[in-house]
Amino acid sequence: MLTTLSVIKADIGSIGGHVAPSQRLETAVRDWVHERAHHLVPDYYISHTGDDIAILMVHRHGTGNREIHHLAWSAFQLGAEEARAEGLYGAGQDLLVDAFSGNVKGLGPAVAEMEFTERPNEPFLFFAADKTDPGAFNLPLYLAFADPMNTPGLLLSPNMSKGFRFVVMDVSCTTGDRIITLNAPEQLYDLAALLRDPERYVVESVWSRATGEQAAVVATSRLHNIAGKYTGKDDPVLLVRVQMNFPATGEILAPYAIGHYVAGGMRGSHHMPLMPVPLNTGISYFDGPPLVTCACFCVHQGKLTEPLDAFAHPFWDTVRTHVAEKAMEMRKQGFVGAAMVPMNELEYTGIVEKLKVLDQQFTMRPEAVAAHAG
Ligand code: F6R
Ligand code: MG
Ligand code: MG
């Protein structure tokens, strides 16, 4: 029997700005899922990362299942009402439409799902990031699945040595899923050429070339592509199966020690380093720094173990200090150059309007016009 992991997450309101949902809100979502899970969802895990609530579900109904998606959607709708009643900031923010149409894709919440035959032992990792977008996972996935400097398993394990297949999505395309499939290691440079632009090209999934099994899936939705305008950052989720024919847990976690710069801090409009933090951490410095959490699980016959908090380990304290320093360094240069994201990624349109007005006020010096005419 196949097992499906579905994680669906949304920002439906938070305390003190975009910091974290209230306990009351998270409890309301949990109670709603608990009362309706029954036989549909044998096990689930509900958590928050920054201001986003994620519902991770284990079930037997495959990806894109209407009832599974509806359960998450209705929990978020109920939560949005709770958030409004409580006066939380951004209540219902990620629910872009009123009516559910069978699948949450395109309706606002982010979704990552995969279906597989459970191995005798099935360890996997659930990542959630806040104040950033799906391309934030490009670098960690590239390093973990394609770079032997990060992942000795690519040299040591005969199956891993056959490499991995990356499916990359062009998230600028709004008419449908525009994808390309690239094989590592043969097409490493092609892969790198795309992944260098994480706002446009996003790793959507990774597959073992030895066995054909799926190793990873990322939620690739871009809210501004859906809504036609910015309605918040996309705050992605990622599921990764680990060990055996896949990278080890440590190989998947290691790239997060870099604290690479990602888009999405401070008003969703600045580059800041991604900080690995314990589960259920909120937001602080400059509407950031962008956060990533990781819950480690085993799933067995459709049941989850308790989560282990990967980034709560003391090792990550040093990383957090380093990332905090990187964040402060970048913020020292305020709005200038690399600190702020490019124009088309800004979460606000005010500056675009301002530039239009200023553009009309530019004049050409007469001598320059004369020289050009001559
Ligand atoms: C993401 C997030 C930010 C906000 C941004 C704008 O979770 O919360 O990207 O969307 O800080 O916030 P407003 O415009 O509501 O002040
Ligand atoms: Mg938010
Ligand atoms: Mg968020």
Side-chain angles (χ1 to χ4, degrees):
M1 206 186 321
L2 295 175
T3 296
T4 311
L5 297 177
S6 298
V7 54
I8 304 184
K9 74 99 229 166
D11 177 351
I12 49 171
S14 47
I15 302 178
H18 295 271
V19 175
S22 67
Q23 285 181 16
R24 218 167 103 183
L25 172 55
E26 203 169 320
T27 304
V29 170
R30 186 170 290 112
D31 289 349
W32 179 272
V33 173
H34 183 74
E35 280 158 28
R36 284 155 189 80
H38 306 300
H39 60 281
L40 181 67
V41 177
D43 214 349
Y44 61 89
Y45 168 71
I46 294 172
S47 59
H48 74 266
T49 298
D51 58 9
D52 302 303
I53 296 183
I55 308 173
L56 169 66
M57 293 169 278
V58 189
H59 59 93
R60 304 290 191 193
H61 306 284
T63 60
N65 179 270
R66 184 188 177 92
E67 284 172 89
I68 297 294
H69 281 231
H70 186 258
L71 178 61
W73 176 260
S74 61
F76 288 139
Q77 268 195 324
L78 170 279
E81 276 168 38
E82 172 64 37
R84 278 183 208 106
E86 244 193 290
L88 298 186
Y89 187 67
Q93 179 195 280
D94 282 358
L95 309 184
L96 302 181
V97 298
D98 295 326
F100 177 72
S101 51
N103 189 307
V104 297
K105 266 194 183 162
L107 307 188
V111 49
E113 297 181 286
M114 61 174 148
E115 187 184 29
F116 49 84
T117 304
E118 266 182 30
R119 297 169 289 173
N121 308 289
E122 185 58 64
F124 75 94
L125 310 180
F126 158 47
F127 291 88
D130 187 36
K131 306 294 180 267
T132 187
D133 50 29
F137 290 124
N138 278 8
L139 178 64
L141 289 173
Y142 172 85
L143 292 174
F145 284 95
D147 185 352
M149 290 293 280
N150 178 89
T151 301
L154 293 168
L155 307 179
L156 299 174
S157 150
N159 269 351
M160 282 177 63
S161 288
K162 298 199 173 91
F164 288 89
R165 198 166 78 236
F166 285 73
V167 179
V168 176
M169 187 179 286
D170 173 359
V171 293
S172 72
C173 176
T174 52
T175 51
D177 289 354
R178 188 163 186 263
I179 58 162
I180 185 170
T181 300
L182 295 170
N183 283 330
E186 296 90 319
Q187 293 173 294
L188 213 54
Y189 296 167
D190 295 339
L191 183 63
L194 294 177
L195 300 193
R196 64 152 289 281
D197 184 357
E199 310 322 315
R200 174 153 187 197
Y201 301 110
V202 174
V203 176
E204 182 231 47
S205 55
V206 185
W207 304 74
S208 161
R209 292 174 66 194
T211 66
E213 288 177 291
Q214 184 165 8
V217 63
V218 180
T220 48
S221 60
R222 298 291 314 266
L223 281 178
H224 74 303
N225 294 344
I226 297 168
K229 63 178 173 57
Y230 253 120
T231 45
K233 269 284 170 237
D234 304 278
D235 304 340
V237 283
L238 157 70
L239 295 168
V240 190
R241 296 168 73 198
V242 290
Q243 307 292 153
M244 314 270 286
N245 297 326
F246 304 127
T249 305
E251 290 165 336
I252 298 289
L253 294 177
Y256 296 91
I258 296 170
H260 62 296
Y261 288 103
V262 296
M266 197 61 253
R267 293 180 179 268
S269 304
H270 293 81
H271 287 124
M272 288 175 79
L274 186 65
M275 182 182 276
V277 292
L279 299 172
N280 301 308
T281 298
I283 291 296
S284 184
Y285 177 75
F286 273 113
D287 203 6
L291 304 181
V292 59
T293 59
C294 175
C296 311
F297 290 97
C298 279
V299 58
H300 185 59
Q301 296 176 354
K303 286 280 182 190
L304 291 171
T305 57
E306 76 261 30
L308 285 190
D309 190 342
F311 295 136
H313 188 278
F315 169 81
W316 299 95
D317 293 341
T318 308
V319 171
R320 281 188 275 276
T321 305
H322 175 60
V323 173
E325 277 158 9
K326 283 181 73 167
M328 288 187 284
E329 283 306 315
M330 184 59 111
R331 288 309 308 134
K332 277 184 197 163
Q333 72 178 64
F335 58 86
V336 175
M340 202 183 267
V341 298
M343 279 298 161
N344 59 348
E345 291 295 327
L346 290 172
E347 204 165 309
Y348 295 81
T349 51
I351 191 166
V352 179
E353 302 306 319
K354 198 188 297 294
L355 287 173
K356 272 190 205 148
V357 173
L358 288 172
D359 191 62
Q360 285 163 1
Q361 294 169 17
F362 273 80
T363 56
M364 291 294 277
R365 284 205 175 111
E367 57 268 37
V369 175
H372 192 69

